[in-house]
Amino acid sequence: MTIPATPIWDPSRPTAGRVTTTWLWRSMLVLVLLAQLSHLGQAPLWLIGAAAAAVLWRLAATALPWPVPRRWFVALLAAGIVAGLRIQVGQWFSQEFGTGLLVAASGLKAAESVGRRDLLVLVVVVYLMLAAVFINNEALPMAVLVLGLACLDTIMLVQLQQHPSLLPWPTCARIALVTLAQAVPVALICFILFPRLPGPLWGRLPQQHEALSGLSEEMAPDAIRSLALSAEVVLRAEIPDDMAAETLYWRGPVLWDFDGHTWRQGALSQGTDTPAPRTLPEKAGQGWQQTIIIEPSGQPWLLALDVPLASDVPGSTLRDGSLRNAWPLWQRRRYQALSVPAIAPGTLPATVQQRALRLPQAGNPRARQLAQRWQNQPADRVIQSARHWFKAGHFQYTLEPGAAPTQDSVDAFLFDTRSGFCEHYASALTFLLRAAGVPARIVTGYHGGAWNPWGHYVLVRQSSAHAWVEAHVDGRWLRLDPVAWIGITDGGRLDLSGNRGAEDGPMLHWLMNDAGLVQRLALGWDAIHTAWNDWVLSYGADRQRATLSWLRLGGLSRQEIAMLMVVMVLLGVLTLDWLGSVRWTRSHVVSRRYGHFCRAMARRGCPPQPWEGPVTFAQRAATRYPDLAGAIWRVTNAYVALHYGPSPGPDEKERLLRELSF
């Protein structure tokens, strides 16, 4: 059987550019294109390109007599896109796959659209695409963009409700903005009172192929360096005003085990967690209270100054003097913590002491020989000797020390290169102390931060990643920072005077110390962005309880809060309905009397036509019935003044209503 050839584009179907008003189509298609572009960086680039190409083709069809594609061709394109998306994403049921389908559907629907119903479908698709943007991007600039596009989409919806009679742009914009403004109080009530589960309002779990930067439970060569070259934000913290900048050590994982190349936390640390008290005393003596907003890291560590004692995070624990969450941090988290300068003194258990002295059986012979000179001395004398060694050894701090040797890396740093970053210094000092008989361990975290005067908080970035040493001296763990011993000020890492914190690298140092205007603008924007994160994105159960307490509603249960929300929403809707009915009642009198005039003229054989406005109809009726011209213009002028003009005074309104009678 011979199958007749069928063109891909069916010329017998209605052409795309002749269905409705051209500018209406072009406006809608441009809006669809902007909604697609808002998914850049989230949906696959080839998918956005294919969907945008379909929209551009349809946009060109408004000026050229191109026919719309046949349904079987659209179905074939859809099948190909679904197959390609499935291959790239790797699974059917995922956020990426669903978002990609939505973007693809917008392009295919735009390509086959021919009527008003299709335009209404595109309006709904744009709303869905804008909502899907927040799955992957919650930043404030994106929220502003989405809000603007939603307003434009609402204007298109208003215009389509008037089709085929098109309203001027300003009129549509006014109606749309008034409609959205009426929804704001209801949305605000739902936002504040809707019962929340623990965690922020929006958020998602990173997929398996995503990687989050941050500290981990091991420290291999270049681990800290890779963080020091990043400007990503780690946390923002409100701290006491009287704290000195050099005390800003943000404590993270503690590393014990060394295999000659990599430091690890070790399996022995697991199972030693103790519940962190949730009560934060108002007066903690020498303690420091902090309110911290930490960014997602994929790790369970809740960073806090020095040695944290308590936290208001449910289920948080303490391990080796560091604060841990019950699960990895996949979402931004706000919490409070209480810290002290050092761990309370106490006897070191034998198993812990053995662990804090353990070294590989072989390797780094020159470092071992150096440490043997300090053996059998008090711990403080050993530390003084080590400090003198680093100060007198002409050591240099650099982020480009060269490739680390696979063997005897401590010897190479102490005796050959004598240059490196905090990881090399902490590893070498811990090795020397252990070889000399002093229990020691490595603490990783962050040092310093940039003080933001706009938001009154400290901003800590990945570029402040740091590693230091804790040695057990006289019954307590003592913090030792060998990088500070050599007086490092290059790049501003430890030169914390004047800015209450510092950053890495010449550019960041210039921004934080020299570029005053740029610095103020950057910090001001970060303060605005932090307020958005704190009050909108992180508005979870804890923040809701605080807000309800401020509103004197803190004693309500979740069920009572839900009932209160329903009642307030109903009251708001009824109020808006009442206001609308009052306005409709006032205008209904005018419309009823003018309708009586139109019906009277229709009985005389001169009915108004659908395309005629009041003035055009009056001109035709007055020409046909000259003897009634005065009455016709009297009624028309009164109707135009009452229906389209500004609100008149009571006396003027009564006069116009009398003139409106026919």
Side-chain angles (χ1 to χ4, degrees):
M1 182 179 64
T2 304
I3 300 177
T6 304
I8 292 179
W9 309 112
D10 187 354
S12 64
R13 298 188 64 186
T15 54
R18 304 174 186 172
V19 177
T20 185
T21 306
T22 302
W23 74 265
L24 185 62
W25 274 101
R26 291 175 179 174
S27 301
M28 188 68 246
L29 293 172
V30 170
L31 186 58
V32 173
L33 184 62
L34 292 176
Q36 292 173 346
L37 295 179
S38 67
H39 285 270
L40 283 173
Q42 302 175 15
L45 187 59
W46 65 268
L47 179 62
I48 296 179
V55 175
L56 292 175
W57 178 91
R58 181 63 183 83
L59 189 62
T62 61
L64 300 174
W66 292 355
V68 298
R70 298 188 64 180
R71 293 186 180 277
W72 70 264
F73 184 73
V74 174
L76 185 62
L77 288 179
I81 290 176
V82 170
L85 191 60
R86 173 63 176 83
I87 294 174
Q88 178 164 350
V89 174
Q91 51 186 336
W92 291 105
F93 302 102
S94 65
Q95 296 169 346
E96 285 79 0
F97 187 80
T99 303
L101 284 182
L102 191 59
V103 174
S106 67
L108 295 176
K109 185 60 184 176
E112 68 168 7
S113 297
V114 294
R116 175 178 176 272
R117 179 179 176 277
D118 295 325
L119 287 176
L120 289 173
V121 172
L122 287 178
V123 168
V124 176
V125 170
V126 169
Y127 278 129
L128 294 176
M129 282 198 296
L130 296 179
V133 170
F134 286 111
I135 297 178
N136 300 281
N137 192 337
E138 302 168 340
L140 180 57
M142 183 58 70
V144 174
L145 174 62
V146 168
L147 180 61
L149 294 179
C151 291
L152 295 178
D153 202 30
T154 306
I155 294 174
M156 292 300 305
L157 180 61
V158 172
Q159 189 65 269
L160 289 173
Q161 298 303 316
Q162 306 298 323
H163 184 77
S165 299
L166 301 180
L167 296 177
W169 267 110
T171 304
C172 286
R174 178 179 58 82
I175 296 175
L177 293 179
V178 169
T179 303
L180 293 175
Q182 292 175 346
V184 169
V186 176
L188 188 60
I189 292 173
C190 294
F191 176 80
I192 295 176
L193 297 180
F194 192 86
R196 306 303 174 96
L197 297 175
L201 172 63
W202 294 313
R204 67 187 185 98
L205 295 180
Q207 304 300 315
Q208 295 180 355
H209 62 273
E210 297 183 28
L212 297 177
S213 61
L215 301 173
S216 65
E217 297 181 356
E218 64 179 34
M219 186 179 72
D222 289 348
I224 300 295
R225 176 182 176 274
S226 62
L227 297 180
L229 296 176
S230 172
E232 294 183 8
V233 175
V234 179
L235 61 86
R236 299 170 178 89
E238 299 175 10
I239 61 176
D241 294 335
D242 57 351
M243 290 192 63
E246 59 270 12
T247 63
L248 300 183
Y249 281 83
W250 306 92
R251 189 182 186 91
V254 177
L255 311 180
W256 295 83
D257 299 345
F258 183 54
D259 60 4
H261 182 264
T262 302
W263 287 89
R264 295 181 175 85
Q265 187 180 60
L268 293 179
S269 292
Q270 302 177 4
T272 62
D273 297 0
T274 58
R278 295 192 62 186
T279 303
L280 301 179
E282 296 182 1
K283 296 182 180 180
Q286 299 297 323
W288 303 314
Q289 287 195 12
Q290 316 123 62
T291 300
I292 301 172
I293 301 176
I294 192 170
E295 297 294 319
S297 63
Q299 299 291 334
W301 302 102
L302 298 170
L303 300 174
L305 287 173
D306 284 315
V307 184
L309 290 183
S311 168
D312 66 344
V313 178
S316 59
T317 57
L318 295 172
R319 176 187 296 183
D320 299 328
S322 299
L323 191 62
R324 287 173 55 93
N325 195 33
W327 51 81
L329 296 171
W330 298 118
Q331 299 171 335
R332 186 180 293 104
R333 185 66 191 262
R334 177 189 177 94
Y335 59 95
Q336 290 184 321
L338 174 69
S339 301
V340 293
I343 300 177
T347 304
L348 201 63
T351 54
V352 178
Q353 184 173 4
Q354 292 177 1
R355 189 182 181 196
L357 291 172
R358 186 182 304 155
L359 288 174
Q361 295 182 354
N364 300 296
R366 288 181 289 176
R368 295 176 188 268
Q369 184 178 6
L370 174 63
Q372 288 178 357
R373 306 178 194 171
W374 307 335
Q375 288 179 351
N376 302 322
Q377 294 183 6
D380 56 346
R381 292 290 303 275
V382 174
I383 293 174
Q384 290 180 5
S385 299
R387 184 195 301 266
H388 177 74
W389 172 265
F390 280 99
K391 282 188 174 182
H394 302 289
F395 284 85
Q396 295 181 352
Y397 186 93
T398 177
L399 293 177
E400 300 293 341
T406 57
Q407 295 182 348
D408 300 335
S409 59
V410 176
D411 278 358
F413 169 70
L414 289 175
F415 300 98
D416 299 332
T417 63
R418 300 200 176 195
S419 64
F421 40 94
C422 58
E423 173 188 320
H424 298 86
Y425 286 89
S427 177
L429 177 60
T430 305
F431 190 95
L432 289 175
L433 292 178
R434 289 188 175 187
V438 179
R441 61 189 183 185
I442 292 179
V443 182
T444 59
Y446 298 88
H447 185 207
W451 174 249
N452 191 326
W454 299 95
H456 300 284
Y457 58 81
V458 172
L459 176 66
V460 181
R461 300 182 183 273
Q462 295 288 5
S463 56
S464 297
H466 197 46
W468 59 94
V469 181
E470 284 186 345
H472 198 262
V473 181
D474 296 332
R476 69 168 65 231
W477 288 101
L478 177 66
R479 183 179 67 220
L480 307 174
D481 193 345
V483 176
W485 291 351
I486 61 175
I488 293 300
T489 59
D490 182 42
R493 171 179 289 276
L494 294 178
D495 185 12
L496 302 178
S497 59
N499 274 308
R500 201 173 183 176
E503 306 291 338
D504 263 309
M507 179 57 69
L508 288 176
H509 179 68
W510 175 77
L511 287 175
M512 297 309 302
N513 295 280
D514 299 324
L517 178 59
V518 176
Q519 175 190 358
R520 288 192 295 271
L521 291 176
L523 294 178
W525 169 250
D526 188 81
I528 296 174
H529 193 266
T530 300
W532 166 260
N533 291 337
D534 193 18
W535 289 100
V536 179
L537 302 184
S538 297
Y539 188 83
D542 296 337
R543 174 62 75 180
Q544 186 183 52
R545 283 194 296 268
T547 303
L548 293 178
S549 298
W550 181 76
L551 295 173
R552 306 298 177 87
L553 300 174
L556 298 180
S557 63
R558 287 188 177 180
Q559 292 78 8
E560 292 171 334
I561 294 174
M563 289 295 297
L564 177 62
M565 180 192 67
V566 172
V567 171
M568 294 188 66
V569 169
L570 288 177
L571 289 176
V573 172
L574 291 176
T575 301
L576 293 175
D577 181 69
W578 177 77
L579 293 175
S581 64
V582 171
R583 182 180 177 184
W584 180 84
T585 301
R586 293 174 179 174
S587 62
H588 180 64
V589 176
V590 178
S591 299
R592 187 176 68 248
R593 294 191 179 184
Y594 184 73
H596 174 72
F597 162 73
C598 293
R599 287 190 296 272
M601 296 304 299
R603 287 193 296 269
R604 292 176 179 270
C606 186
Q609 299 300 321
W611 60 84
E612 287 182 319
V615 176
T616 304
F617 172 58
Q619 290 174 346
R620 183 168 63 86
T623 302
R624 184 168 180 176
Y625 302 102
D627 55 326
L628 299 177
I632 292 174
W633 282 111
R634 173 175 53 80
V635 172
T636 302
N637 291 333
Y639 175 72
V640 170
L642 288 170
H643 194 74
Y644 298 103
S647 299
D651 297 338
E652 179 68 12
K653 183 175 181 181
E654 290 297 328
R655 184 186 67 81
L656 292 174
L657 286 175
R658 288 195 301 269
E659 293 183 355
L660 192 56
S661 300
F662 183 73

